[in-house]
């Protein structure tokens, strides 16, 4: 893999981790800000890195994929917070 691909994968994983943290802490407005920032970075990459039209069919699919990645990460964080909260609430012994 090239350095560019590794950098893009690292940015995607970091972005998804922030989205999962937003879901875990239930920070919905921060989620929207991070999602819009990610879409903006995606548009910049498509225009400058790939020299493509940001409204072509492939670019629209890339934007939709980014939104779905963000929503899935948010949902995973939210579900983890619910599961961890249930374990904490059901703990036996002194709290």
């Amino acid at each position: 893999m090239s350095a560019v691909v590794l950098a893009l994968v690292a940015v995607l994983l970091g972005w998804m981790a922030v989205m999962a943290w937003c879901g875990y802490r239930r920070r919905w407005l921060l989620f929207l800000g991070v999602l819009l920032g990610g879409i903006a970075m995606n548009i910049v990459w498509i225009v400058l890195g790939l020299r493509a039209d940001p409204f072509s069919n492939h670019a629209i699919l890339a934007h939709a994929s980014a939104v779905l990645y963000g929503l899935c990460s948010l949902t995973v964080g939210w579900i983890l917070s619910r599961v961890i909260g249930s374990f904490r609430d059901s703990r036996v012994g002194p709290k």
Side-chain angles (χ1 to χ4, degrees):
M1 272 206 254
S2 69
V4 174
V5 173
L6 287 175
L8 289 173
V9 169
V11 168
L12 176 66
L13 290 176
W15 182 72
M16 290 175 65
V18 171
M19 296 290 226
W21 180 83
C22 289
Y24 183 80
R25 302 294 269 167
R26 295 182 177 98
R27 311 274 183 186
W28 312 122
L29 290 178
L30 181 60
F31 161 75
L32 286 176
V34 173
L35 180 67
L36 292 176
I39 296 299
M41 287 191 312
N42 194 25
I43 291 172
V44 167
W45 167 248
I46 286 173
V47 171
L48 298 179
L50 300 176
R51 295 186 184 113
D53 177 26
F55 299 109
S56 68
N57 291 336
H58 298 294
I60 296 296
L61 186 61
H63 301 322
S65 298
V67 170
L68 288 177
Y69 277 130
L71 288 174
C72 288
S73 298
L74 177 84
T75 304
V76 165
W78 178 73
I79 289 172
L80 279 174
S81 74
R82 301 279 304 203
V83 169
I84 291 170
S86 295
F87 279 133
R88 287 181 183 156
D89 292 343
S90 67
R91 188 173 67 177
V92 176
K95 293 185 180 183

